[in-house]
Each structure stands twice: as structure tokens, then as C-alpha cells.
Amino acid sequence: MTDAVEQARAAAAAAQAAAEEARRLADEAARRAEELAAALSRAADASAAPEATGAPDASTAAGGTTPGTATEPPGRAPLDATTTPEATTASTTPPSAPQSGPLGPEAVDAIRTGYAVEGTALELGALVNGRPLPDVQVRIPLGMLNRHGLVAGATGTGKTRTLQLLAEQIAANGVPVFAADVKGDLSGLAVAGQPDEKLLARTEAIGQDWRGVASAVEFYSLGGQGTGVPIRATVSGFGPLLLAKVLGLNATQESSLGLVFHHAERAGLPLVDLSDLRAVLTYLVSDQGKAELAELGGLSKQTAGVILRELVTFADQGADRFFGAPEIDTRAFLRTAPDGRGIVSLLEVPGVQDRPEVFSTFLMWLLADLFNELPEVGDTDRPALVFFFDEAHLLFSGSSKDFREQVVRTVRLIRSKGVGIVFVTQTPKDLPDDVLAQLGSRVQHQLRAHTPDDAKALRATVSTYPTSDYDLGEVLTSLATGEAVVTVMNEDGAPTPVAWTRLRAPQGSMDALPSDVLEALVASSPLLARYGTTVDPESARELLAARMESAAADAAAAQAQADAEQEAARAATAAAKEAAAQAARDERERKAAQAEYERTQREFERAERAAAGRRSRSTSTRTSRSAGRTADDPLGGLLGNGLGQTIAKEVVRGIFSTLRRRR
């Protein structure tokens, strides 16, 4: 039951949408019928006027051709670059009714007045109202270029030629230009274009007095990858936000990378190339360096590992050549030629099309560096530099909130530094609303509505334009190549009327330069001597290596000292043990000697007491026999008498006194 209800609702919504579309088509048909009737009435009045008054015909009165010359049928566009021979033949046959454009005379006059400029202006082209109107020229005041702009349109609708047209005229008025040459199509700016019949027919139809003119061009390449003066950036100068974007880091990893940059700056570790950043990351998660970030929250090994892996992949794709020294001084883009023309700086990037986010982020770095380097100049009558940001949609694809905020802030504030930005992309929806709100000039080439998303983008684009007499949804999908819907800021800062414009042709060559000519121009550049050769200054990698070597030497010396002290301690311990053992042995010997002395003393005393007892029992017997004992035993006789006993005591005392002294 629920499915049936939903299907009924969907069918009702589809029917309502179909009814609204039918109503719109009916209103459009009625409006066109009224315009056709009005045009027929005007044509009838004009044809009747010569017969009634004898006045010359309308074409002659309007400054047309005289009788006998070829005339252009009313409502028929003159032969232009897209006219075929068959169309030329058909144009000689008067149409059944004069053709009319979507704008009435009042709207055409409003556009003519709205694009009238008193000061210097860039000529965009002529208004199209059924056919080009050479007398209604569409212009951009030069002073309004620092209010930024947008060139949008589907692939193949002429965006690159519009960029070339604007760059030529800006430089011709003494304002330097920077642009990225993604496909190598802009290098022809350096040589004059060559006329042909088709080109001259187109330019004549829109009132352009065309002639070939070469511009002063300086060619650059990212890191020397391509033909041009190498543009390099140091990792420190590039910064963590932009690097996080090209590495595809998430918010947590981006925050950790910012912490690493902060520490490197505080510790005096210059980050010149990617090897320096890898060295710092490795050091900060090592045992020696992890304590240095402890007070700031630390760096986890997992996050450092992710960043290191992304850096390795990034370098393997050749992006490491973009980082290094010498770093480009972006003020080089502000130079002018000796004749006063602005120099067009073209960054050749065909070698990095496989990494478009790298290219777009590098352009953002150049812009941010200009913002930091240039002084405040306020609102000037002409910009100091116009910066074309090609493939702008790549800048915001997958970007973080912080990154978008930085871009918006730079776009908003860089105008006061005298820099105008022109974003070049496919649809306005490719840019954030905060960026679109800063754009004063818009050149919108054809949009395609082949898918529901395309149709939605078309409606969103139409809703951003000022009110006009156009059915912009129809006009934007029917524009021819080289045509655009234009609205800019006039000299008073107010938006001009919306104008369907056939754009002028560039005056430089629209073909890419031959490689030998391009190489010769690059070789003659005065900037090549300064930026052509890579230098390797002392940076974080070398400083950390020296620090690690010094730490290793100090650790080795400390270890050697500790080993020596430990060996000395072991020797002292061994000596102490030996001394203690020797002392124990001496003590044992002393005690043994003392015991022997005491034993001998006791034996002696016993012997002495026994001898005294014997003497007392047989004094007489000892006396009577002493003579005989003396004769038979001289030693016994000697010990028996008083002198012998005295001698014996002295001998024993001498012996045991010596033993006592050994203690």
C-alpha cells in the first residue's frame, strides 16, 4: 500500500513539473510571437516610409550600402568564422520574416550604456542579439579587475582563448599577469598571430580591428619538470595546511603535521625539502626526540607513520622536485618589460596532470606568498598583478574546512594588496559560495545539461545572475564556441546588464610554440641564473644528523668513562677483597703464633714448677750429685744451678718476645 502511495505521489510530482514546463514553454512561445509581430510591424512601417515620403531606404539612412552594392538582409548575421559557402548562398535569399534577437531596443541601449567606460578598459567583444552588433561593445574596466572574476564553461567552449584574450590586453596596459598553462596552449602568446580569411571575417563582424601582436612572456615550470625557469618552494614556506591537502591527510593528521612544523620552527630546524620533514618526523618519535613534544601533546608513532608513508608516495611520484632551494621570490611575477608592458608569467604544467591537486595547491601557495609579501595599497585604479587560477575546482576538491577558510580569507584580503584573481573552471558551483561572493566579473561560456546534476548546476548558475530579458537557461545551453554571457562591475562598482557576447579573437598565436623556440626563450631568461640550479643548504636533516652524531659521540664517551669507572671499581673491590683476605691470613697467623707462644709459656712454666719441686725435695741429693752430673752432663749441670736457670729464662724470653712483636 505504501509503495502505491509513493508511486502516486511521484507521478503527481512529475505531472506538476511537466505542467510547469508546458506553461513556461507556452509563455515563451507567446512572448516570441509578440516580438515577431512587433518586428513585422516595424518592418512594414519601414518599407512604407520611403514610398510615402521619397526618403532613402532604411539601410542607406542608417549608413548602409549605396544602391548597386551588396546589402545584408534584415536579421541576417554577417559572414563570420562559422559561415559556410552554403550559408552564404542562402543569405542572399530574403527570409519570409525578419529575424529578431531576444532583446528589444531599450534593452540593447541599456547594455550599450552599461558597458560604456570613460577610463581604460578591456574589450571583450560585441553584443549578440540575433546577430553581432558591432556598435554595442562589451568591456571590463581595468580598475575592476582587482574585484576578481570568473571564467566558466564546459570543456571546449573557449575558456582558454578567453583567458588568452584577457591576459594580452591586461599586459598591454602595463599590468603583469600570471597564468598556468595546463595544456600548453598559451605559449603562443609570445609570438604574433597570423591572419586568415576565417579569422578576419569573424573579427570584422564584431568590430575588431585585428592585427597580430606578441606579448612579453616569461616561462616557468614546477621544480624544473617541463620547460621553463624552475619554481620551487621550501617545505617551511609551503606550510602544513597546503601540504596536508596534497598528502590527503585527515583532520587529526593535519593537526599533528602542524605541530611538527611548529616544533621545527621553534627548534631552528629549517625544512627545505621533503627529506628534512622526514628526518624531523623520524627524530620526534625516536627515544631521543619524543620528549621534545611531550609538553605539546606529543606525536603518536601511528600518525607519524601515516605521514611518512604519504611523503614517500608523494616523493615517488616526482613531487619532491617541487620542494627545495632556491625558493622562488613571487615578486618576480610583478615585473614589466622595458617598453612598459606587463610581463605574462606562464607556468607550464603538462608534466603534473596526473597530480592536479598538487598543481592547484601550488598555485594557492604562490597566491598566499604574494599576499604575505606585498604591501597594502588600498583600492587602486589598476591592479598590480592579475592572477589566473586555472582548473580552480581542483583547489577545493577534498579540502579541509581550515584550508577553505584560508583560501576565502586570502581571496577577500588580497584585493587590498593590488592583486586581482580570475578563477577559471567549468561551472560556478565548483567554487565555494564565500569565494563566489567575492567575484565582480563573470564570463560564462556554454553550459551543458545532459544529466540531472548538470540541470541542477544550470539552474543554480542562472539564479546567481542579475535580472535580465534573457531566458538564461536557454541562452547558456545554446551559446556557440567563443560566445559567453557576461556581467561585470562598472566604474562605479555596480553590476552591468547581462550581455550575450561574441568574444574577440586573441592577437597572439593560438598555436603552441615549437619546442626549440620555447627552449631558446627560456635560455635567454634573466631569472635562469638565479633559479636554474638547485642548491642544498644546511637544513633540518643535516642539523639533526650532526646532533645525533654529537649525541652518539657523547654517549660513547660517557659509556667509556662509565666502563673505566666500573673497571676501577672492580679493581678496587678486588684489591679490597685481597687486602681483607691478607688481613684475615695475617690475623690467623698472629693468633696461631700467640697460641703457640702461650702454649710454650705454659709448658715452660710447668717445667719450671716441676723443677722447683724437685729442687725442694732433694736439696741435699742435688747438691751431692751436682758434681757428678756436671761432669757427666754439662748442660744439665748448667741448667741446674742458678746461673744456668737465668740463662735459660733469658733465652726463652728472647724467643717469645720476638713472636709478640710479630703481632
Side-chain angles (χ1 to χ4, degrees), residues 239-552:
L241 270 181
L242 295 175
L243 188 58
K245 182 180 185 301
V246 297
L247 294 178
L249 304 182
N250 61 31
T252 301
Q253 295 156 358
E254 180 180 316
S255 175
S256 297
L257 186 62
L259 182 64
V260 173
F261 272 71
H262 171 76
H263 169 76
E265 182 178 2
R266 189 180 64 174
L269 299 172
L271 302 177
V272 175
D273 53 27
L274 294 182
S275 64
D276 293 321
L277 182 56
R278 289 195 294 267
V280 173
L281 281 166
T282 304
Y283 172 75
L284 290 177
V285 294
S286 66
D287 293 337
Q288 297 90 338
K290 62 183 179 182
E292 297 189 19
L293 286 183
E295 62 181 17
L296 299 178
L299 177 68
S300 72
K301 285 190 175 182
Q302 293 79 4
T303 300
V306 171
I307 298 174
L308 284 169
R309 287 193 295 272
E310 293 297 334
L311 285 173
V312 170
T313 302
F314 191 47
D316 288 344
Q317 293 171 344
D320 55 340
R321 285 181 286 183
F322 304 156
F323 297 96
E327 183 176 83
I328 189 72
D329 183 355
T330 50
R331 288 174 294 185
F333 304 145
L334 303 177
R335 295 181 301 139
T336 57
D339 59 4
R341 293 180 299 163
I343 291 179
V344 180
S345 299
L346 289 182
L347 176 61
E348 184 191 8
V349 288
V352 293
Q353 291 188 49
D354 55 337
R355 290 301 302 268
E357 65 275 14
V358 176
F359 144 69
S360 62
T361 309
F362 246 87
L363 289 188
M364 188 61 221
W365 169 75
L366 294 175
L367 199 59
D369 193 70
L370 282 168
F371 176 79
N372 293 327
E373 291 290 335
L374 297 179
E376 292 281 343
V377 295
D379 199 2
T380 58
D381 59 349
R382 63 176 56 207
L385 172 72
V386 176
F387 194 102
F388 286 89
F389 212 126
D390 201 2
E391 302 293 341
H393 62 284
L394 300 174
L395 180 65
F396 302 99
S397 176
S399 60
S400 66
K401 180 181 178 182
D402 290 342
F403 179 81
R404 286 173 176 253
E405 289 178 352
Q406 181 182 8
V407 173
V408 171
R409 182 168 58 253
T410 301
V411 171
R412 181 183 298 117
L413 299 178
I414 203 169
R415 183 173 68 85
S416 63
K417 304 292 185 85
V419 177
I421 306 171
V422 178
F423 292 97
V424 183
T425 187
Q426 294 188 3
T427 67
K429 73 179 182 63
D430 293 333
L431 305 181
D433 292 341
D434 290 339
V435 174
L436 285 175
Q438 308 299 318
L439 308 181
S441 302
R442 295 176 61 179
V443 180
Q444 178 68 62
H445 289 269
Q446 181 194 134
L447 288 176
R448 294 168 186 149
H450 300 319
T451 68
D453 287 342
D454 292 342
K456 183 178 179 181
L458 176 62
R459 290 193 297 271
T461 301
V462 169
S463 66
T464 62
Y465 275 88
T467 303
S468 70
D469 292 339
Y470 292 112
D471 179 355
L472 284 176
E474 181 179 348
V475 171
L476 289 174
T477 55
S478 61
L479 292 170
T481 301
E483 294 182 349
V485 171
V486 177
T487 180
V488 303
M489 280 188 175
N490 63 21
E491 291 175 302
D492 296 327
T496 58
V498 178
W500 180 350
T501 307
R502 180 166 296 177
L503 299 171
R504 293 190 167 210
Q507 294 177 292
S509 174
M510 289 184 275
D511 297 323
L513 283 182
S515 58
D516 56 339
V517 177
L518 181 59
E519 290 172 359
L521 289 174
V522 173
S524 63
S525 170
L527 299 177
L528 200 60
R530 180 177 179 183
Y531 298 111
T533 304
T534 306
V535 297
D536 187 16
E538 186 179 51
S539 54
R541 177 168 53 87
E542 291 81 8
L543 292 174
L544 285 176
R547 183 184 298 181
M548 297 292 284
E549 289 177 2
S550 176

Side-chain angles (χ1 to χ4, degrees), residues 42-123:
R42 288 194 299 270
D45 293 342
S47 62
E51 297 177 0
T53 62
D57 60 45
S59 61
T60 306
T65 58
T66 59
T69 61
T71 59
E72 184 180 299
R76 176 69 61 182
L79 180 65
D80 60 17
T82 62
T83 305
T84 62
E86 292 79 5
T88 305
T89 303
S91 67
T92 60
T93 303
S96 58
Q99 297 181 2
S100 176
L103 301 180
E106 293 182 358
V108 172
D109 288 340
I111 291 175
R112 180 185 290 107
T113 303
Y115 287 93
V117 178
E118 294 182 359
T120 305
L122 308 182
E123 300 288 344

